[in-house]
Amino acid sequence: MYKKLNYLWRLLATAICFSLFGIGGLILTLFVFPVQKLCITGEQAQKRTARKTVHYSFRFFIATMAFTRIIEFDLRDRAELAQQQGQLILANHPSLIDVVVLLSIIPNADCVVKAHLFSNPFIRGVIKNAGYISNADPEALLDACKLSLEQGNNLIIFPEGTRTVPGKELVFQRGAANIALRCQVPITTVLINVTPSTLTKAESWYQIPSEKAKFMLQLTRDVPTLSVAAAIPMSKQVRQYCRELERYFKQELRSHE
């Protein structure tokens, strides 16, 4: 009986939290960001303020999920991660809330967003006002990433390009390796584990696990060396570094199982 009641509560709380997320996005877009633009001059200052607003909003959202006991969060390296400046932050992507958690930890974070999310009625206003980068145009993407990193922002990218398919190994796209090599910036790698798996690519939000999930986030060390050789075509170097990053994350995931 207790397990059934606990499951029903978590299902109800999940529905409440996702409703809160959508409504919160609309409130920020319709009321908060317009007021900020009236009070703050300069596009960059407006973006910085909008990102801080998103940061604190997501902190509240994560705290609400923890309080309602939907998910238990173990963010053991959050203090160190919050202090990063001008870093390319690479993470695996097992669940829907990975970027929400990262943005709730890192106050000065930028991120690459799928183009179709710019048409999502609940979050497109948040994305546009915060100035997050669209992946629609590969050439413009690289320039925008380089500029963001030069401005001292931390840039969050999921090398897989989409959420991990449960039961399958990671498969990295070349975008993250391309940005890393061409921008030549420090890299911070983050390992995310969600047990039991939930909010995956194969599941809807209401398909919750039979028991409370645990979301663990931690920094990893000994990131593959980043270097560029003038004698080797950049396209080949990107492929090689992509494979190195993929192999590195696979090893880290196996060692933390």
Side-chain angles (χ1 to χ4, degrees):
M1 178 63 73
Y2 171 78
K3 286 185 177 181
K4 185 175 181 179
L5 289 174
N6 178 265
Y7 177 87
L8 291 173
W9 163 250
R10 286 187 293 107
L11 182 60
L12 174 62
T14 300
I16 292 171
C17 283
F18 275 89
S19 298
L20 176 67
F21 187 89
I23 294 168
L26 291 175
I27 291 172
L28 290 178
T29 300
L30 297 175
F31 301 105
V32 177
F33 294 141
V35 171
Q36 289 179 349
K37 286 186 175 181
L38 288 174
C39 299
I40 300 168
T41 57
E43 183 180 353
Q44 290 305 314
Q46 290 171 353
K47 283 183 182 180
R48 284 195 298 271
T49 304
R51 287 175 184 174
K52 283 188 178 180
T53 302
V54 173
H55 164 69
Y56 286 112
S57 299
F58 283 177
R59 281 185 65 177
F60 174 76
F61 179 74
I62 294 302
T64 302
M65 294 189 81
F67 178 76
T68 54
R69 302 184 64 80
I70 299 172
I71 297 177
E72 178 185 348
F73 291 93
D74 179 1
L75 311 178
R76 58 188 63 183
D77 293 318
R78 64 182 306 162
E80 185 177 349
L81 188 56
Q83 297 301 315
Q84 302 299 314
Q85 292 287 339
Q87 297 271 330
L88 181 60
I89 297 175
L90 305 181
N92 61 310
H93 195 9
S95 81
L96 183 63
I97 61 170
D98 301 335
V99 71
V100 176
V101 175
L102 286 168
L103 289 172
S104 77
I105 295 172
I106 309 167
N108 60 329
D110 198 352
C111 61
V112 175
V113 179
K114 289 183 177 179
H116 73 85
L117 291 177
F118 280 79
S119 60
N120 184 301
F122 295 102
I123 61 173
R124 65 185 178 190
V126 174
I127 294 170
K128 290 178 180 178
N129 282 278
Y132 297 141
I133 301 168
S134 171
N135 69 351
D137 183 346
E139 292 298 326
L141 169 65
L142 183 60
D143 291 338
C145 290
K146 185 174 183 180
L147 177 60
S148 182
L149 289 163
E150 288 174 349
Q151 291 171 341
N153 298 315
N154 294 299
L155 180 61
I156 299 169
I157 295 182
F158 298 108
E160 294 166 87
T162 187
R163 277 173 283 168
T164 311
V165 177
K168 294 188 177 181
E169 287 196 320
L170 308 185
V171 178
F172 280 10
Q173 306 297 317
R174 296 176 192 168
N178 192 36
I179 292 167
L181 287 171
R182 293 182 187 277
C183 294
Q184 286 291 295
V185 292
I187 294 175
T188 294
T189 50
V190 177
L191 195 68
I192 298 173
N193 273 300
V194 183
T195 309
S197 65
T198 185
L199 300 175
T200 68
K201 190 178 179 69
E203 298 169 319
S204 298
W205 65 266
Y206 53 82
Q207 293 176 297
I208 64 173
S210 58
E211 58 187 62
K212 181 174 64 173
K214 181 175 182 179
F215 185 108
M216 189 191 75
L217 179 151
Q218 63 187 104
L219 295 177
T220 62
R221 314 296 173 181
D222 303 319
V223 186
T225 304
L226 183 67
S227 61
V228 175
I232 303 175
M234 179 59 75
S235 59
K236 183 176 181 179
Q237 294 183 69
V238 168
R239 288 195 299 272
Q240 286 180 328
Y241 194 58
C242 180
R243 287 195 295 268
E244 288 177 18
L245 285 172
E246 184 182 285
R247 185 163 50 248
Y248 171 73
F249 268 90
K250 286 178 179 177
Q251 290 173 349
E252 289 295 320
L253 282 169
R254 281 194 290 268
S255 68
H256 287 86
E257 285 180 351

